[in-house]
Structure formats: C-alpha cells, structure tokens
C-alpha cells in the first residue's frame, strides 16, 4: 500500500505485516497529491505516478528501485507552471483503439488536462477545456476506456474527452460550440466515478457535490454513449 503525504514523504505499508511501521521515503516534494499505479504486470510496468503540487509536476516512481526516475513538469502554453489536481491511468488498447501505449491524464485548476504517454519525460498533449481558469477536481474513465469524463466545478459541468483522439466530444450537437454535460442548477461538484450497472443495464456516471438540489448529494446519469 502506497500513501503519499502532504509533507513530501511516500509511506509504504506491507499488507502482510500491518502491525509493523511503514517504510517512509522522502521524495523531495513540499506537497504530494494524488497517486495512481500502472495496473499491468509486464516488465517495466512497476511504476507509480504521483502529483507534486509543490513543484507543479508529475513524479514517476520506480517501485522496484524505490526511487523517482522522472519528473514531468506541467506548464501552460506560455511556460507558466500549472498546479495539478487529479490524475487517471488509462490502459491501452481500448475497445475502440488499437494503440498500445498507455496514457496518464492529469487535471488542473486552470481548465487544462495534460496527457502523458507512458514512458515519456514530457507532456505529450494539453487539452484546453475552457478559455479561462476552471477547477477540474476529478476525472474517471468509462469502463471501455473510450472516454474520460472530467468534472468542471467552476461551470458545474462534466466534459467528455475521447481517449483515442484526446479531443473533447460535443455532447449537444444541436447547440453551437463544443458542449459539456451541464449539471446546473446543482453546484460545488467534487468527484465522479463511471461504472457498468446491471439493473438497469447501462453505464452510469455518478457525481458527488456539496450543494445539490437532490437528497444525498449524488447525481447519476447514463454514460453509455457520452460523445453522441
């Protein structure tokens, strides 16, 4: 079990010996954020990806060697540092793509989503979801990994990104522009998860927030074809 700390340490717990003290590794960061692991088991896949909020970057940690092997800076088109908020590991190929290179998606508080190809030392692509700063607190893949759904707290909306093209999908073709899924009049969205449901048989996105106009602060909507 790997647990990043806000003081820059990474704690490692042995699940077979939880009574013992965890190993602590100082990654040299002033503030670590979210973490994802490469779920595959082939050679070279033993990597963790951690958000370094203090240095606006993504750290690539080698589990075997117990060390950071790459630091990937996150910058906008003008070269300014951008603070990361959340990250998602996307395995490839997907249902609709034959690509074999996995991707890491990183959301920010600036309306930008960074795309990092597995093994790369720099950001491969930057997806701009808004012309002004927007807070993107959470993202989740559809089960087939064809789409990434990104929460936009500032606009109370969910953006849909096609993971093959890394381009935002228009969810309302009848309206001009590229339109996200609006969740107004709710507000203060915080997180999202997408999962298959057997009854009714469909794929649903569940969104949480603190100021919802429904009981419980949870919205559910069909996400079977979010780009159509």
């Amino acid at each position: 079990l790997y647990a990043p700390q806000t003081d820059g340490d990474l704690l490692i717990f042995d699940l077979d010996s939880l009574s013992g003290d965890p190993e602590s590794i100082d990654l040299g960061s002033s503030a670590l954020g979210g973490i994802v692991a490469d779920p595959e088991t082939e050679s070279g896949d033993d990597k963790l990806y951690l958000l370094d909020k203090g240095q606006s970057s993504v750290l690539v940690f080698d589990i075997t060697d117990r060390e950071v092997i790459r630091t990937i800076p996150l910058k906008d088109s003008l070269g300014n540092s951008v603070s990361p908020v959340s990250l998602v590991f996307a395995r490839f190929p997907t249902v609709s793509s034959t690509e074999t290179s996995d991707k890491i998606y990183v959301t920010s508080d600036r309306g930008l989503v960074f795309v990092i190809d597995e093994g790369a030392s720099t950001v491969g692509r930057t997806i701009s979801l808004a012309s002004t700063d927007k807070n993107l607190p959470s993202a989740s893949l559809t089960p087939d990994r064809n789409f990434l759904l990104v929460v936009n707290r500032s606009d109370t909306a969910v953006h849909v990104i096609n993971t093959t093209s890394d381009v935002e999908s228009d969810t309302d073709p009848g309206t001009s522009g590229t339109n996200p899924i609006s969740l107004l009049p709710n507000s203060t969205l915080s997180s999202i998860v997408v999962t298959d449901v057997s009854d009714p048989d469909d794929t649903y996105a569940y969104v949480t927030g603190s100021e919802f106009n429904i009981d419980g602060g949870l919205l559910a909507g069909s996400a079977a074809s979010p780009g159509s």
Side-chain angles (χ1 to χ4, degrees):
L1 175 66
Y2 299 87
Q5 306 295 293
T6 55
D7 62 0
D9 290 347
L10 178 65
L11 300 184
I12 304 175
F13 296 85
D14 183 350
L15 296 183
D16 291 328
S17 182
L18 287 177
S19 59
D21 293 331
E23 178 183 357
S24 179
I25 300 177
D26 184 358
L27 300 188
S29 168
S30 60
L32 293 177
I35 181 174
V36 293
D38 186 335
E40 298 171 320
T41 57
E42 297 180 4
S43 176
D45 287 333
D46 54 342
K47 304 294 187 295
L48 302 176
Y49 298 84
L50 303 98
L51 297 183
D52 185 338
K53 295 191 173 184
Q55 300 185 43
S56 299
S57 61
V58 173
L59 306 180
V60 184
F61 181 82
D62 189 295
I63 294 174
T64 301
D65 295 335
R66 295 285 210 273
E67 64 179 4
V68 174
I69 59 172
R70 286 191 297 279
T71 298
I72 303 173
L74 305 174
K75 298 181 181 295
D76 63 17
S77 60
L78 299 177
N80 299 311
S81 296
V82 178
S83 180
V85 178
S86 69
L87 74 171
V88 174
F89 189 98
R91 291 184 295 111
F92 278 78
T94 66
V95 172
S96 62
S97 172
T98 58
E99 291 184 29
T100 57
S101 178
D102 299 330
K103 301 177 184 180
I104 298 90
Y105 292 91
V106 184
T107 71
S108 71
D109 60 358
R110 296 270 303 280
L112 303 175
V113 176
F114 299 97
V115 187
I116 301 170
D117 296 314
E118 183 182 19
S121 299
T122 59
V123 171
R125 293 161 299 287
T126 302
I127 306 167
S128 179
L129 297 182
S131 59
T132 57
D133 293 353
K134 303 294 181 181
N135 187 6
L136 311 176
S138 180
S140 179
L141 289 166
T142 54
D144 57 14
R145 305 187 300 284
N146 290 339
F147 296 97
L148 178 75
L149 275 63
V150 181
V151 169
N152 181 336
R153 177 180 292 169
S154 304
D155 291 339
T156 313
V158 174
H159 298 266
V160 179
I161 295 173
N162 184 308
T163 57
T164 299
S165 62
D166 289 329
V167 173
E168 183 178 5
S169 299
D170 184 8
T171 67
D172 184 8
T175 303
S176 62
T178 302
N179 301 281
I181 302 169
S182 175
L183 296 185
L184 292 171
N186 306 289
S187 62
T188 320
L189 309 182
S190 58
S191 61
I192 185 172
V193 65
V194 187
T195 186
D196 287 331
V197 177
S198 58
D199 186 14
D201 185 13
D202 209 337
T203 301
Y204 279 82
Y206 295 87
V207 182
T208 62
S210 62
E211 296 182 21
F212 276 21
N213 291 323
I214 58 174
D215 292 337
L218 176 68
L219 286 176
S222 176
S225 302
S228 62

